[in-house]
C-alpha cells in the first residue's frame, strides 16, 4: 500500500539559518501538521510536514539521528542529507515528549531494519563478491545522517519563541484537508495499480485457457503413446528394437509429465495473482469510502466555520451600534451639564443681588 501516516501532531517548524548556523528561521506562518510516515515497500520511516502544497520537512529517520529537547516546548534534530537542522516548537511539554518518544521508537525500528538488510545481503553474497572488495554498500544502508555535536544548532533564543497555534475551530479543517489530499493521492495510485492488474489478469486468464488446452493435448498424446507402446510390445518380434523404442517413448512421456507439472505450477501462481488483485480491489473500495467520509466531514467543518464567521460579524455590528448609542447619550449628557452650569451661575448672581 506504499507510504502510510502512523503518527501526527502540530507544531511550529523552524530551520537553522544556513549562513550563521546559529539563528532559527521560521518555515511556516502558523502551526502545521507534522507526521511520521512508514514506507512498507522500502522499510523506511520519514518525517513529513506540508504548508499548503509545499513540503517544509522531508527527513528520513536513520539510526544515527538524535532528537534533542532544548527547552520545555522545543526540540531539534540534524539531517545531513538535507544539509540542515530542523526545529519544532510545540504548544505543550506533553506534545514534545510524545514526539520525542515516537522519534526514538522509529529510530530503533530503522536500526533493526538496517541490521536485517545487512544480514540478508551477507547471506546472499557469493564468495567471489566477498573477495572482490568491501567498498560496496547495501542500497538500503543510509549514510551518517546526524552530525556531530558541532553541527547541531544552538538553543532557540527568546526571539524565536514558538508562536501560538491557530484557533481551535480552524485546526480540524486544516488537518482534514491534509488527510483528504493524502487519501486522494493514495486513491490515484491504487487506480493506476488496479488498471495494470486488470490488464495482467485478462492476459493471465487467456494464458490459463491456452495452457489448459495444451495440457489436454499433452494428456491425449501421453495416452496415445502408452497405447502405441502396448501395441509395439504385442506386435513386434524384434525385442531389442521394441525396447529401444519403448525407452524413447518413456522418455518422451516423462518430459511431457514434467511439462505438465510446470504448467500446473504456473496455473497456481496465476490463481494467487488473481486473489491478490481481488484483495487490492477491496482495499481500493475501502479507501474510497474513507475518502467520502473525509469529504463529508470537511463540508460539515466548512459549514461550522461559515456559521462562526456570521456570528462574529453580527456581534461586531451590535458592538458598533452600542458604541454609537453611547456617543449619542454622552452628547446629550454634555448639553444637560452645560445647561445646569448656566442655571447655577444665574442662581448665584440672583443671590448676590439680593
Amino acid at each position: 500500500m506504499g507510504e502510510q501516516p502512523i503518527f501526527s501532531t502540530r507544531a511550529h517548524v523552524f530551520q537553522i539559518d544556513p549562513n550563521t548556523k546559529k539563528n532559527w528561521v521560521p518555515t511556516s506562518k502558523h502551526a502545521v501538521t507534522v507526521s511520521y510516515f512508514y514506507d512498507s515497500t522500502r522499510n523506511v520511516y520519514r518525517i513529513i510536514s506540508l504548508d499548503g502544497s509545499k513540503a517544509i520537512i522531508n527527513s528520513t529517520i536513520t539510526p544515527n539521528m538524535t532528537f534533542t529537547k532544548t527547552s520545555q516546548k522545543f526540540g531539534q534534530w540534524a539531517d545531513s542529507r538535507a544539509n540542515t537542522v530542523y526545529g519544532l516548537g510545540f504548544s505543550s511539554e506533553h506534545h514534545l515528549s510524545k514526539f520525542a518518544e515516537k522519534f526514538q521508537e522509529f529510530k530503533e525500528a530503522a536500526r533493526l531494519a538496517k541490521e536485517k538488510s545487512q544480514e540478508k545481503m551477507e547471506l546472499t553474497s557469493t564468495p567471489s563478491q566477498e573477495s572482490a572488495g568491501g567498498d560496496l554498500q547495501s542500497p538500503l544502508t543510509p549514510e551518517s545522517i546526524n552530525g556531530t555535536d558541532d553541527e547541531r544548532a544552538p538553543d532557540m533564543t527568546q526571539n524565536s519563541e514558538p508562536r501560538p497555534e491557530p484557533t481551535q475551530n480552524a485546526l480540524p479543517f486544516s488537518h482534514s484537508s491534509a488527510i483528504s489530499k493524502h487519501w486522494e493521492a493514495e486513491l490515484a495510485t491504487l487506480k493506476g495499480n488496479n488498471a495494470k492488474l486488470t490488464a495482467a489478469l485478462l492476459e493471465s486468464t487467456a494464458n490459463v485457457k491456452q495452457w489448459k488446452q495444451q495440457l489436454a493435448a499433452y494428456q491425449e498424446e501421453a495416452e496415445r503413446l502408452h497405447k502405441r507402446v502396448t501395441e509395439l510390445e504385442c506386435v513386434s518380434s524384434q525385442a531389442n528394437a521394441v525396447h529401444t523404442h519403448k525407452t524413447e517413448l518413456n522418455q518422451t512421456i516423462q518430459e511431457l509429465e514434467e511439462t505438465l507439472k510446470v504448467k500446473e505450477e504456473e496455473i497456481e501462481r496465476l490463481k494467487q495473482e488473481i486473489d491478490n488483485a481481488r484483495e487490492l480491489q477491496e482495499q481500493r473500495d475501502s479507501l474510497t469510502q474513507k475518502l467520502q467520509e473525509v469529504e463529508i466531514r470537511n463540508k460539515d467543518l466548512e459549514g461550522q466555520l461559515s456559521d462562526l464567521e456570521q456570528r462574529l460579524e453580527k456581534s461586531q455590528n451590535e458592538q458598533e451600534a452600542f458604541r454609537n448609542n453611547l456617543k449619542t447619550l454622552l452628547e446629550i449628557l454634555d448639553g444637560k451639564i452645560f445647561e445646569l452650569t448656566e442655571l447655577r451661575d444665574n442662581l448665584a448672581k440672583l443671590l448676590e443681588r439680593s
Side-chain angles (χ1 to χ4, degrees):
M1 293 299 296
E3 205 166 26
Q4 298 290 335
I6 51 180
F7 176 79
S8 297
T9 186
R10 294 185 66 82
H12 292 278
V13 180
F14 300 84
Q15 287 189 17
I16 201 68
D17 190 339
N19 298 322
T20 63
K21 298 294 184 181
K22 293 182 179 180
N23 299 325
W24 289 107
V25 178
T27 57
S28 63
K29 296 180 181 180
H30 48 76
V32 294
T33 301
V34 182
S35 301
Y36 287 99
F37 278 77
Y38 175 61
D39 190 344
S40 58
T41 57
R42 297 188 300 158
N43 203 12
V44 171
Y45 294 87
R46 289 199 300 164
I47 302 175
I48 297 177
S49 179
L50 299 176
D51 188 5
S53 59
K54 178 183 177 184
I56 55 178
I57 298 180
N58 186 1
S59 179
T60 302
I61 300 177
T62 66
N64 297 325
M65 281 186 176
T66 301
F67 184 81
T68 305
K69 298 180 183 178
T70 57
S71 68
Q72 292 183 350
K73 298 182 180 180
F74 193 85
Q76 65 186 48
W77 79 94
D79 189 339
S80 61
R81 283 185 175 179
N83 194 24
T84 188
V85 178
Y86 293 104
L88 296 179
F90 296 88
S91 60
S92 65
E93 185 177 1
H94 171 73
H95 289 88
L96 172 60
S97 300
K98 190 67 176 179
F99 187 89
E101 291 175 2
K102 293 295 182 181
F103 192 99
Q104 185 65 27
E105 177 184 344
F106 300 143
K107 169 185 172 183
E108 182 66 17
R111 183 186 66 80
L112 295 175
K114 177 182 176 182
E115 292 177 355
K116 291 181 180 178
S117 176
Q118 290 177 344
E119 291 175 358
K120 184 177 180 181
M121 290 192 64
E122 290 175 358
L123 292 175
T124 57
S125 61
T126 60
S128 60
Q129 290 174 337
E130 292 176 355
S131 61
D135 294 334
L136 295 177
Q137 296 181 353
S138 167
L140 294 179
T141 302
E143 300 174 356
S144 177
I145 299 301
N146 200 37
T148 60
D149 292 336
D150 295 333
E151 295 175 341
R152 295 175 185 167
D155 294 348
M156 184 178 66
T157 61
Q158 294 179 354
N159 295 330
S160 59
E161 184 70 17
R163 293 164 290 180
E165 297 187 21
T167 60
Q168 187 176 3
N169 292 322
L171 290 179
F173 177 74
S174 175
H175 186 60
S176 299
S177 298
I179 295 176
S180 177
K181 291 180 180 178
H182 172 73
W183 284 122
E184 288 175 357
E186 287 291 335
L187 183 58
T189 303
L190 281 175
K191 286 182 178 178
N193 293 337
N194 185 57
K196 294 178 181 179
L197 287 172
T198 302
L201 182 60
L202 293 175
E203 183 181 357
S204 300
T205 304
N207 291 335
V208 167
K209 292 180 179 178
Q210 183 180 359
W211 288 334
K212 285 183 177 179
Q213 294 176 357
Q214 292 179 356
L215 287 175
Y218 290 149
Q219 290 175 351
E220 292 177 0
E221 181 67 14
E223 291 178 359
R224 188 184 66 79
L225 290 174
H226 279 296
K227 292 179 180 180
R228 182 60 179 166
V229 169
T230 303
E231 292 174 358
L232 288 174
E233 288 178 348
C234 296
V235 173
S236 178
S237 59
Q238 299 176 354
N240 293 332
V242 171
H243 180 72
T244 303
H245 198 184
K246 180 181 177 181
T247 303
E248 293 176 355
L249 290 175
N250 287 333
Q251 185 177 358
T252 304
I253 292 172
Q254 185 176 1
E255 292 176 356
L256 290 173
E257 289 176 348
E258 291 177 355
T259 304
L260 179 62
K261 183 178 180 180
V262 171
K263 296 299 181 181
E264 289 177 349
E265 292 176 353
E266 186 69 17
I267 289 173
E268 291 296 329
R269 185 183 66 81
L270 289 174
K271 288 181 180 178
Q272 186 175 3
E273 289 181 357
I274 292 173
D275 293 339
N276 293 336
R278 290 175 179 171
E279 291 179 359
L280 286 175
Q281 179 68 24
E282 292 176 356
Q283 292 174 356
R284 191 197 70 164
D285 294 340
S286 176
L287 283 176
T288 302
Q289 184 178 0
K290 290 181 179 179
L291 179 60
Q292 292 175 352
E293 293 175 356
V294 170
E295 290 176 350
I296 293 173
R297 185 180 178 186
N298 283 341
K299 290 181 181 178
D300 293 339
L301 291 174
E302 288 175 355
Q304 293 177 7
L305 181 60
S306 176
D307 182 56
L308 288 174
E309 291 176 350
Q310 292 177 358
R311 290 168 60 186
L312 177 61
E313 184 179 358
K314 182 179 179 182
S315 176
Q316 291 176 349
N317 294 333
E318 291 177 353
Q319 289 181 357
E320 185 66 23
F322 181 72
R323 289 177 182 174
N324 293 332
N325 292 334
L326 284 179
K327 288 181 180 179
T328 303
L329 289 175
L330 286 174
E331 291 175 356
I332 295 172
L333 183 62
D334 289 340
K336 296 297 181 181
I337 292 174
F338 181 74
E339 293 176 357
L340 289 173
T341 302
E342 288 184 347
L343 179 62
R344 179 183 174 282
D345 293 339
N346 293 331
L347 291 174
K349 289 178 181 180
L350 290 173
L351 289 174
E352 290 176 358
R353 290 175 183 177
S354 61

